[in-house]
């Protein structure tokens, strides 16, 4: 039971209530205003529920003010329960504004009003034995009102607001009237046993004189009959079996009064004026849905929707709002500290058709609190409360602290105040809402069959029904579609087809421009000098594209291959060996080297030679060594001792010899010539290190000294053992002064950057269409080495080719543009401008299910934007909000924007809704 059921059956006494009763309302009102002021100025110190005092620790939304039973005794206690708010609206407005809101039957109360000498208005509400529909039209000259639950009221208000916008009859002033003249009104409710009616008493003692006068003009004492229709069904809880007799446990037996506070919206001082303005969406907010235990009525509403001290809302641009933000659904969200990512995604989601209508309705009836994959319904409740705050009338931005608190509870990665990715947050939120609202309580186990040998239509429907048997929620209804996934084994050509659900599309941004890259090409044949090679590759290409471009530019032979590496501080930092790695991992200021190696030598030992020379500090005279130059690479077979290392090194540096005629050597020149090296290979298999005397011939003060990286000097006769698992060897060559003079260090030390930026120059902006992104996403491509597929025919993992197709399209299509790339070494953001359709996104040529009856056309209604780079940036949202207007939501700021301005390179997540088929 909610609200009125506890009012009717569980009123208990409380010493606290008696103490509260002894306080004058004149003292409580300024105290409440003071507490409201404190809560607005101490946001960072408050509990997540935006309430200064948590008198009910288990409560979901503790109230700022507790109303009480005026005649409470001392034997009661507090109890924590929740009820739904009830709204009092003009009946004629309710009929006209309902539009597509579900029709319900109402209970009629004939009401008389009179004002006595004690300056109080008495309302006698007598129940009539009829349950006429809203559509019943009967002539009635008096004022009529309707009691509706909060969910229905919000849906009606939103529907009426959209109706005005579609028909072009809305104005800013009409929208403002929904929030005009907000004032509180205290009403005492009791049961009259003599007249068998409900009695409401509005006293000047409980209300300021201005508000009391407004109440007099609204209820027109002693001048006309009033009728109140109850469409909430709550007042019937006072009666037995739909009769006029009160239930035995109703409050009439205790003769107590219940004090209620109404927040009256937009009703003028004149009764005639009021009737003329009923069509302007004026209404009264009756907070009658609280918990009645120990005589206390708890206000379970949002303090963001009204000011407790009775202050009226004023729309002003100085508050950070454009005048048009008087329209419903145009409230901002406060930035709690780097929460713009959350605010942007939430604004897009709360303006999603059907989703917002669902959360403005009775969504809590579908909460699945027992789902082990969900959040016990807490995330859905928090999002629902936030949605209602954002769609309630008012201008003040909403502080989403309660929602963020729940988010951090179930997703610690979003706790704190660090910046996050709005798409990652949106993915978690949609999945969390689905699990919290999953209508399936017990998920059956279903083993899916491969669809390769059956018609696609039959297999797809079987997969979809199996998915719905385990997953059934508003998120599935609205946001989920279906892929057809086809895998083909490269060896046995086995085909596997599955149909998988999706909640959003993550589209890559294909490059339409080329990237100029300079790579240093190094030969390992001991003949050619290193040379820079400039190539052009697709801006979003892969390492495979770079190697292909280099192979063409350097006329690579069939018996050669390229080994690409990144050089940093004269060392090889890493080898670029994954062909499908993005070239975004290579920055413009990197140094990239491509080594020409003989094909088929991959089983040989890869030897890296790095260079070091001795220097002396000019200031202190201290001697030290430092790395310099370009690392050299060779693959060696039969490597046995230091002499083999020396011979290989001499071969590699042979191209750097200076062409001087008077060059002299301490040893025979043949040892330094390529011809001598080649002759040595033609000798018998005798090792050059068989005798120590032969090794001593190449040791001396003017010779190279070699050492394994991090170890002592390598002697010519020292054996070298390379572990089979290691496969590579790093050797440092210390250059003597004389050798530095014999070789040209200019060629060895020069290494150009990948791309040299010129002063005042920039790369041209890149543009790509959304259809190009979709085609790139759907094209067939091989799986990466880390995503290999287990082929049931080959009985092993294979690098199969994969092809995705769209099979079933959702009502709401969420498109994520993959602007961010991450790797172990680099994070990057693409600023590519994506030209996306606004009015007509046509996917009919991309869907594989040609027999689908659903429309394939979509219209854009929201965008989540990201400005800035990887290190920071800022998120905003663009939302189409009816009346053919777009609005920008920048945290707490909301203002209109021209449609021409919504297409930017900051677009990150696009939200489309389906256009119904004609």
């Amino acid at each position: 039971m909610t609200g009125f059921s506890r009012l009717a059956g569980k009123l208990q006494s409380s010493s606290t209530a008696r103490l509260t009763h002894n306080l004058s309302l004149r003292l409580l009102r300024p105290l409440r205003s003071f507490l409201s002021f404190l809560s607005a100025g101490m946001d960072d110190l408050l509990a997540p529920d935006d309430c200064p005092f948590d008198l009910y620790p288990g409560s979901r939304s503790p109230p700022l003010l507790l109303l009480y039973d005026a005649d409470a005794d001392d034997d009661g206690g507090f109890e924590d329960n929740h009820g739904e708010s009830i709204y009092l609206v003009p009946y004629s407005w309710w009929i006209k504004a309902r539009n597509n809101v579900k029709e319900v039957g109402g209970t009629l109360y004939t009401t008389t009003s009179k004002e006595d000498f004690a300056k109080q208005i008495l309302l006698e509400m007598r129940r009539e034995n009829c349950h006429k529909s809203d559509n019943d039209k009967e002539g009635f000259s008096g004022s009529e009102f309707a009691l509706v639950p909060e969910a229905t009221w919000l849906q009606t208000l939103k529907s009426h607001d959209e109706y005005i916008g579609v028909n072009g009859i809305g104005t800013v002033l009409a929208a403002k009237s929904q929030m005009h003249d907000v004032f509180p009104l205290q009403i005492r409710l009791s049961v009259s046993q003599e007249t068998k009616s409900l009695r409401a008493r509005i006293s000047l003692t409980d209300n300021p004189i201005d508000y009391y006068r407004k109440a007099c003009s609204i209820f027109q004492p002693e001048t006309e009959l009033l009728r109140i229709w109850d469409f909430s069904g709550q007042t019937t809880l006072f009666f037995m079996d739909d009769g006029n007799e009160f239930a035995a446990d109703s409050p009439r037996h205790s003769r107590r009064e219940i004090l209620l506070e109404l927040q009256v919206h937009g009703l003028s001082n004149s009764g005639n004026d009021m009737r003329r303005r009923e069509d302007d969406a004026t209404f009264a907010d009756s907070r009658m849905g609280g918990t009645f235990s120990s005589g206390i009525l708890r206000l379970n509403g949002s303090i963001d929707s009204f000011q407790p001290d009775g202050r009226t809302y004023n729309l002003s641009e100085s508050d950070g709002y454009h005048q048009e933000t008087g329209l419903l659904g145009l409230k901002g969200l406060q930035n709690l500290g780097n929460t713009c990512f959350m605010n942007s995604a939430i604004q897009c989601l709360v303006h999603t058709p059907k989703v917002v209508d669902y959360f403005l309705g009775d969504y809590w009836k579908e909460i699945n609190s027992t789902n082990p994959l969900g959040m016990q319904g807490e995330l859905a409740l928090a999002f629902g409360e936030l949605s209602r705050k954002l769609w309630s009338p008012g201008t003040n931005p909403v502080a989403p602290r309660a929602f963020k608190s729940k988010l951090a509870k179930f997703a610690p990665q979003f706790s704190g105040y660090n910046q996050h990715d709005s798409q990652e947050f949106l993915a978690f939120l949609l999945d969390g809402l689905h699990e919290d609202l999953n209508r399936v309580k017990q998920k059956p186990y279903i083993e899916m069959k491969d669809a390769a040998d059956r018609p696609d239509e039959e297999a797809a429907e079987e997969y979809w029904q199996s998915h719905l048997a385990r997953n059934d929620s508003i998120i599935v209804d609205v946001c989920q579609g279906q892929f057809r996934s086809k895998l083909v084994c490269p060896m046995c050509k086995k085909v596997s087809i599955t149909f998988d659900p999706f909640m959003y599309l993550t589209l890559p941004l294909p490059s339409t421009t080329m990237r100029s890259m300079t790579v240093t090409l190094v030969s390992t044949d001991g003949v050619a000098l290193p040379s820079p090679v400039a190539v052009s590759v697709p801006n979003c290409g892969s390492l495979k594209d770079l190697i292909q471009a280099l192979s063409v530019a350097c006329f690579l032979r069939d018996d050669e291959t390229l080994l690409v590496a990144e050089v940093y501080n004269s060392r090889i930092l890493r080898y670029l060996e994954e062909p499908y790695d993005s070239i975004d991992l290579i920055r413009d200021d990197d140094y990239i080297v491509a080594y020409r190696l003989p094909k088929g030598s991959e089983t040989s030992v890869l030897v890296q030679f790095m260079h070091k020379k001795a220097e002396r500090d000019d200031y202190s005279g201290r001697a030290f060594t430092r790395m310099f130059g370009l690392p050299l690479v060779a693959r060696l077979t039969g490597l046995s001792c230091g002499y083999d290392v020396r011979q290989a090194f001499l071969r590699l540096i042979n191209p750097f010899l200076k062409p001087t005629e008077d060059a002299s050597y301490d040893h025979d020149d043949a040892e330094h010539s390529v011809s001598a090296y080649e002759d040595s290979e033609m000798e018998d298999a005798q090792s050059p290190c068989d005798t120590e005397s032969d090794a001593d011939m190449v040791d001396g003060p003017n010779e190279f000294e070699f050492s394994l990286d991090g170890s002592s000097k390598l002697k010519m006769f020292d054996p070298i053992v390379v572990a089979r698992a290691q496969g590579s060897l790093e050797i440092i060559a210390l250059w003597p002064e004389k050798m530095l003079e014999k070789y040209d260090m200019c060629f060895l030390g020069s290494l150009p950057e990948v791309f040299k930026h010129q002063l005042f120059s920039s790369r041209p902006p890149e543009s790509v269409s959304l259809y190009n992104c979709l085609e790139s996403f759907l094209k067939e491509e091989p799986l990466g080495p880390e995503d290999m597929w287990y082929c049931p025919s080959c009985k092993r993992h294979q690098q199969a080719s994969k092809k995705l197709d769209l099979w079933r399209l959702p009502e709401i299509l969420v498109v994520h543009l993959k602007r961010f790339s991450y790797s172990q070494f680099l994070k990057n953001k693409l600023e590519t401008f994506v030209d996306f359709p606004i009015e007509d996104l046509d996917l009919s040529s991309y869907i594989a299910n040609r027999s689908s009856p659903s429309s394939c056309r979509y219209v854009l209604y929201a965008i989540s934007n990201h400005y800035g780079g990887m290190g920071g940036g800022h998120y905003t949202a663009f939302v189409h909000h009816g009346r053919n207007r777009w609005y920008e939501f920048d945290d707490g700021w909301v203002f209109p924007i021209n449609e021409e301005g919504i297409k930017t390179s900051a677009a990150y997540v696009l939200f489309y809704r389906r256009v119904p088929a004609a």
Side-chain angles (χ1 to χ4, degrees):
M1 292 189 296
T2 60
F4 275 100
S5 62
R6 292 180 173 84
L7 172 63
K10 297 190 71 175
L11 286 174
Q12 299 177 2
S13 302
S14 170
S15 58
T16 305
R18 181 177 296 278
L19 177 62
T20 307
H21 175 246
N22 292 333
L23 295 177
S24 169
L25 286 175
R26 302 291 184 178
L27 295 178
L28 285 177
R29 215 172 279 117
L31 176 60
R32 179 182 56 187
S33 303
F34 177 69
L35 294 178
S36 175
F37 170 77
L38 286 181
S39 66
M42 301 175 63
D43 289 338
D44 295 335
L45 301 178
L46 298 184
D49 290 322
D50 292 332
C51 161
F53 302 106
D54 190 0
L55 297 180
Y56 300 84
S59 174
R60 176 164 53 87
S61 297
L64 178 63
L65 177 65
L66 300 179
L67 297 185
Y68 56 91
D69 177 4
D71 298 312
D73 295 326
D74 297 336
D75 54 351
F78 291 99
E79 184 179 330
D80 181 27
N81 294 296
H82 308 294
E84 187 183 11
S85 301
I86 305 299
Y87 287 75
L88 179 68
V89 300
Y91 179 75
S92 59
W93 173 86
W94 166 250
I95 294 299
K96 294 179 182 178
R98 285 183 59 254
N99 200 8
N100 295 324
V101 178
K102 182 179 179 181
E103 180 178 345
V104 293
T107 302
L108 176 62
Y109 290 89
T110 301
T111 305
T112 58
S113 172
K114 66 178 181 179
E115 182 180 12
D116 63 13
F117 295 103
K119 291 298 182 182
Q120 58 183 6
I121 303 171
L122 299 179
L123 300 177
E124 293 283 344
M125 301 171 56
R126 181 183 296 274
R127 182 182 179 185
E128 302 292 339
N129 288 323
C130 63
H131 298 274
K132 289 187 289 185
S133 168
D134 324 359
N135 296 327
D136 228 5
K137 294 185 179 179
E138 176 183 328
F140 182 71
S141 59
S143 297
E144 290 185 279
F145 300 94
L147 284 172
V148 295
E150 181 184 28
T152 308
W153 172 77
L154 283 171
Q155 289 177 316
T156 302
L157 200 59
K158 178 177 177 292
S159 177
H160 183 59
D161 189 65
E162 292 171 350
Y163 172 80
I164 291 176
V166 169
N167 291 274
I169 60 177
T171 64
V172 175
L173 292 178
K176 282 185 181 181
S177 68
Q178 296 180 359
M179 287 148 282
H180 186 63
D181 288 341
V182 179
F183 68 95
L185 193 64
Q186 311 292 333
I187 294 181
R188 296 176 181 268
L189 184 66
S190 61
V191 172
S192 174
Q193 184 179 7
E194 294 78 10
T195 61
K196 298 186 182 298
S197 63
L198 297 178
R199 175 177 294 173
R201 182 165 62 91
I202 306 172
S203 172
L204 182 60
T205 305
D206 298 334
N207 298 277
I209 186 171
D210 291 341
Y211 300 160
Y212 179 78
R213 288 174 178 173
K214 289 183 178 182
C216 291
S217 66
I218 293 170
F219 295 108
Q220 293 289 297
E222 300 178 353
T223 59
E224 60 182 3
L225 192 66
L226 305 176
R227 294 208 302 192
I228 298 178
W229 287 88
D230 177 23
F231 297 105
S232 69
Q234 297 293 334
T235 57
T236 58
L237 297 175
F238 281 97
F239 301 92
M240 298 185 300
D241 302 325
D242 274 347
N244 287 333
E245 292 295 329
F246 287 103
D249 56 353
S250 66
R252 69 187 180 96
H253 294 287
S254 60
R255 299 182 179 274
R256 290 179 294 183
E257 289 186 329
I258 303 301
L259 179 63
L260 307 176
E261 181 179 80
L262 279 70
Q263 294 297 323
V264 182
H265 295 239
L267 298 179
S268 67
N269 292 329
S270 167
N272 294 329
D273 229 10
M274 180 195 70
R275 283 191 292 270
R276 287 196 300 268
R277 294 179 55 189
E278 282 177 346
D279 297 336
D280 291 337
T282 55
F283 50 87
D285 174 7
S286 176
R287 292 303 197 186
M288 298 166 65
T291 297
F292 292 84
S293 62
S294 44
I296 292 180
L297 169 63
R298 296 190 49 212
L299 294 184
N300 190 21
S302 166
I303 62 173
D304 294 322
S305 299
F306 59 88
Q307 297 293 337
D309 58 351
R311 290 175 294 168
T312 58
Y313 289 113
N314 292 314
L315 300 178
S316 68
E317 297 184 17
S318 62
D319 294 332
Y321 284 82
H322 189 272
Q323 285 185 344
E324 292 190 50
T325 56
L327 305 176
L328 291 177
L330 291 179
K331 277 187 178 182
L333 284 166
Q334 291 182 12
N335 192 322
L336 306 180
N338 279 332
T339 56
C340 57
F341 74 95
M342 181 181 74
N343 294 346
S344 173
I346 287 177
Q347 291 290 6
C348 293
L349 196 56
V350 299
H351 288 87
T352 296
K354 293 190 177 180
V355 173
V356 61
D357 292 336
Y358 176 83
F359 279 100
L360 294 184
D362 300 333
Y363 69 94
W364 59 81
K365 296 180 179 179
E366 293 188 342
I367 285 180
N368 188 344
S369 58
T370 61
N371 187 355
L373 300 178
M375 291 79 174
Q376 293 79 52
E378 293 185 41
L379 185 66
L381 286 171
F383 182 78
E385 289 296 322
L386 182 59
S387 300
R388 295 190 174 197
K389 290 181 181 181
L390 290 173
W391 277 93
S392 64
T395 62
N396 295 335
V398 177
R401 287 188 182 84
F403 176 81
K404 188 178 185 302
S405 175
K406 296 298 183 185
L407 179 69
K409 176 181 177 181
F410 296 105
Q413 65 269 29
F414 296 115
S415 61
Y417 299 97
N418 294 324
Q419 184 66 279
H420 295 279
D421 189 303
S422 68
Q423 188 273 334
E424 292 179 1
F425 162 74
L426 179 67
F428 171 82
L429 179 58
L430 289 175
D431 185 66
L433 292 177
H434 158 65
E435 297 296 350
D436 270 2
L437 299 167
N438 197 346
R439 304 177 185 110
V440 179
K441 307 302 181 183
Q442 297 291 333
K443 295 186 177 183
Y445 172 76
I446 302 175
E447 184 174 353
M448 301 306 303
K449 303 176 183 178
D450 195 284
D453 301 327
R454 293 182 292 164
D456 284 346
E457 292 77 6
E458 175 188 335
E461 185 63 23
E462 179 183 318
Y463 269 79
W464 186 249
Q465 292 304 322
S466 298
H467 175 65
L468 294 183
R470 295 174 54 86
N471 303 275
D472 183 17
S473 69
I474 180 64
I475 304 300
V476 175
D477 298 342
V478 175
C479 299
Q480 286 197 357
Q482 192 178 29
F483 284 134
R484 181 180 69 178
S485 177
K486 180 180 179 181
L487 293 171
V488 180
C489 177
M491 303 302 294
C492 68
K493 305 304 178 183
K494 164 71 177 176
V495 177
S496 174
I497 297 177
T498 57
F499 293 86
D500 306 313
F502 69 88
M503 196 154 343
Y504 48 85
L505 300 179
T506 297
L507 304 185
L509 304 185
S511 177
T512 58
T513 61
M514 305 300 286
R515 178 182 179 184
S516 178
M517 303 181 70
T518 300
V519 178
T520 301
L521 187 68
V522 180
S523 176
T524 59
D525 59 4
V527 176
L529 286 168
S531 60
V533 178
V535 294
S536 294
V537 294
N539 202 28
C540 296
S542 63
L543 181 61
K544 182 179 179 181
D545 299 322
L546 175 61
I547 293 177
Q548 289 177 347
L550 287 172
S551 301
V552 173
C554 70
F555 303 101
L556 192 71
R557 300 193 305 267
D558 292 339
D559 61 345
E560 290 181 314
T561 185
L562 291 177
L563 178 63
V564 182
E566 179 183 346
V567 174
Y568 180 74
N569 283 346
S570 300
R571 287 179 175 268
I572 294 179
L573 178 63
R574 57 177 175 137
Y575 290 106
L576 307 177
E577 298 181 289
E578 297 295 337
Y580 295 103
D581 277 354
S582 173
I583 61 170
D584 289 335
L585 303 178
I586 303 175
R587 298 171 296 187
D588 287 344
D589 56 354
D590 287 342
Y591 298 95
I592 304 299
V593 180
Y595 297 97
R596 298 180 73 147
L597 297 172
K599 187 176 291 185
S601 62
E602 289 78 6
T603 57
S604 303
V605 178
L606 181 65
V607 181
Q608 307 170 17
F609 291 99
M610 292 162 287
H611 314 284
K612 184 180 288 188
K613 63 181 178 179
E615 292 187 353
R616 190 172 297 275
D617 187 271
D618 294 336
Y619 180 75
S620 64
R622 182 177 59 87
F624 64 94
T625 59
R626 71 173 183 88
M627 306 293 292
F628 76 98
L630 172 68
L632 301 177
V633 169
R635 286 196 179 273
L636 303 180
T637 56
L639 186 63
S640 60
C641 63
Y643 187 84
D644 294 336
V645 172
R646 176 180 180 274
Q647 292 299 94
F649 181 71
L650 292 177
R651 178 183 175 88
L652 290 175
I653 65 173
N654 185 69
F656 301 97
L657 273 171
K658 291 181 180 179
T660 56
E661 297 179 359
D662 58 346
S664 60
Y665 297 86
D666 289 343
H667 302 287
D668 187 63
D669 290 344
E671 289 184 2
H672 294 277
S673 66
V674 176
S675 59
Y677 183 85
E678 291 174 348
D679 292 340
S680 68
E681 289 182 327
M682 299 174 63
E683 295 176 356
D684 295 334
Q686 179 185 4
S687 172
C689 304
D690 285 345
T691 64
E692 187 171 328
S693 60
D694 292 334
D696 289 339
M697 293 176 60
V698 293
D699 283 334
N702 293 322
E703 273 296 336
F704 294 102
E705 292 184 6
F706 300 96
S707 62
L708 296 176
D709 192 13
S711 66
S712 58
K713 177 182 176 181
L714 179 65
K715 297 291 186 180
M716 292 300 101
F717 58 86
D718 287 346
I720 297 177
V721 179
V722 181
R724 182 181 298 272
Q726 184 177 359
S728 64
L729 198 64
E730 292 185 356
I731 296 177
I732 297 178
L734 178 62
W735 287 64
E737 186 66 29
K738 187 171 182 179
M739 291 303 176
L740 291 172
E741 297 173 0
K742 300 299 182 183
Y743 291 85
D744 193 340
M745 295 296 101
C746 178
F747 290 102
L748 189 62
S750 61
L751 196 60
E753 296 178 350
V754 170
F755 183 81
K756 186 69 174 179
H757 289 273
Q758 302 296 325
L759 191 62
F760 305 118
S761 69
S762 61
R763 292 183 174 178
E766 188 177 4
S767 176
V768 65
S769 75
L770 186 63
Y771 293 111
N772 294 142
C773 299
L774 186 59
E775 290 165 3
S776 179
F777 174 72
L778 297 177
K779 72 178 181 180
E780 185 175 359
E781 60 182 7
L783 297 174
E786 67 281 359
D787 297 321
M788 297 180 70
W789 169 64
Y790 182 80
C791 176
S793 296
C794 299
K795 305 298 182 182
R796 59 179 297 181
H797 288 87
Q798 300 285 5
Q799 196 169 356
S801 61
K802 182 176 183 179
K803 176 71 170 68
L804 285 176
D805 291 297
L806 298 176
W807 185 264
R808 187 189 304 266
L809 295 175
E811 184 79 17
I812 299 298
L813 181 64
V814 180
V815 180
H816 166 222
L817 302 178
K818 196 174 180 180
R819 294 194 177 276
F820 300 105
S821 60
Y822 305 89
S823 72
Q824 182 180 357
F825 304 98
L826 184 67
K827 297 179 180 179
N828 188 38
K829 180 191 176 185
L830 300 176
E831 296 290 350
T832 305
F833 175 81
V834 178
D835 186 11
F836 47 85
I838 298 177
E839 297 295 337
D840 187 16
L841 174 64
D842 187 1
L843 300 180
S844 57
S845 59
Y846 298 96
I847 187 168
N849 183 12
R850 296 299 179 183
S851 60
S852 174
S854 302
S855 170
C856 299
R857 297 181 178 274
Y858 289 83
V859 61
L860 185 73
Y861 70 90
I863 308 172
S864 177
N865 304 299
H866 179 268
Y867 300 91
M870 292 295 301
H874 181 61
Y875 286 94
T876 67
F878 295 149
V879 174
H880 186 265
H881 194 59
R883 297 168 176 81
N884 201 28
R885 294 297 302 271
W886 283 85
Y887 293 86
E888 180 170 4
F889 290 77
D890 187 355
D891 289 332
W893 293 77
V894 182
F895 43 86
I897 183 174
N898 293 327
E899 186 175 286
E900 297 77 16
I902 68 172
K903 286 189 177 184
T904 69
S905 59
Y908 184 43
V909 184
L910 309 175
F911 293 77
Y912 284 92
R913 60 175 175 85
R914 173 183 282 147
V915 177

